[in-house]
Amino acid sequence: MNFKLYSDSTYTFTIHEQSPNYEKTEKFDGFCRLTNDTIYFTPFQFKPVNSQKAVLKNNFIEFVEAKFPLKLKIRKPIMPSVSDSLASKSYALFMYDSKHYNYFPQSVKPYDLTQQELAEVDRQLRNYFERNKAKLEKPIDSYCKQVTAVLNVSQEKEVYIACHCKGRDTNKDFEYEMMIHFRDGGSCHLGVKVNLTKHTYSEVFVNGDA
């Protein structure tokens, strides 16, 4: 997939699919405007995912209220880089959308973490790993972490962290889409919730062995 944004407020988006007996290329174009960290698609929505806007953060373009989650990596920086942040070191951030995820009740609202808050998430997760190292077997840096945050009805900041053992497929895909949790694989797949307001964590699950 290739998204290009031009100075005349137009864009092109190209999708190329290829398999041993099939090849297809689709190209979409339209108009948009960039305001601060948000791309607004107007007068027509971004057709591939039926989205009216996308947010630029952590060197990704993430489409909002889309028919399916879509993140695109920014190859040529539009905004200042955060390459030295935790978000680029085995953490991937995702905007919470209750249409696609069920980690929290329907009453929550998406929340955008600051780097300081992500550092607190990292501290709480490291505490969890330290206190459960006999059960988890692997150290925290052996995992890719996927993070999504919300405000609950009490206006508390809650975070869900999906942890997956690093590997060829995990390293390739973890930045782009929230991965499903497998029914086996032992502690290679686990979920933890952190309440940033209360500075506490709770275990959601650790997968059983195959």
Side-chain angles (χ1 to χ4, degrees), residues 38-50:
T38 305
I39 301 173
Y40 296 92
F41 298 96
T42 180
F44 305 108
Q45 62 187 2
F46 184 70
K47 187 175 180 180
V49 293
N50 295 342

Side-chain angles (χ1 to χ4, degrees), residues 11-61:
Y11 71 86
T12 60
F13 180 64
T14 306
I15 304 173
H16 183 74
E17 300 177 11
Q18 187 173 3
S19 64
N21 59 353
Y22 174 82
E23 186 171 356
K24 178 182 178 182
T25 299
E26 287 186 280
K27 184 177 180 180
F28 302 84
D29 53 37
F31 295 92
C32 61
R33 74 176 190 275
L34 176 62
T35 304
N36 297 324
D37 63 348
T38 305
I39 301 173
Y40 296 92
F41 298 96
T42 180
F44 305 108
Q45 62 187 2
F46 184 70
K47 187 175 180 180
V49 293
N50 295 342
S51 178
Q52 294 183 322
K53 66 180 180 179
V55 177
L56 310 179
K57 58 181 179 180
N58 303 312
N59 290 334
F60 279 88
I61 301 173

Side-chain angles (χ1 to χ4, degrees), residues 175-191:
E175 293 180 297
Y176 296 95
E177 59 181 325
M178 291 288 285
M179 298 179 186
I180 61 171
H181 287 293
F182 305 92
R183 295 184 181 275
D184 52 33
S187 60
C188 256
H189 307 286
L190 60 104

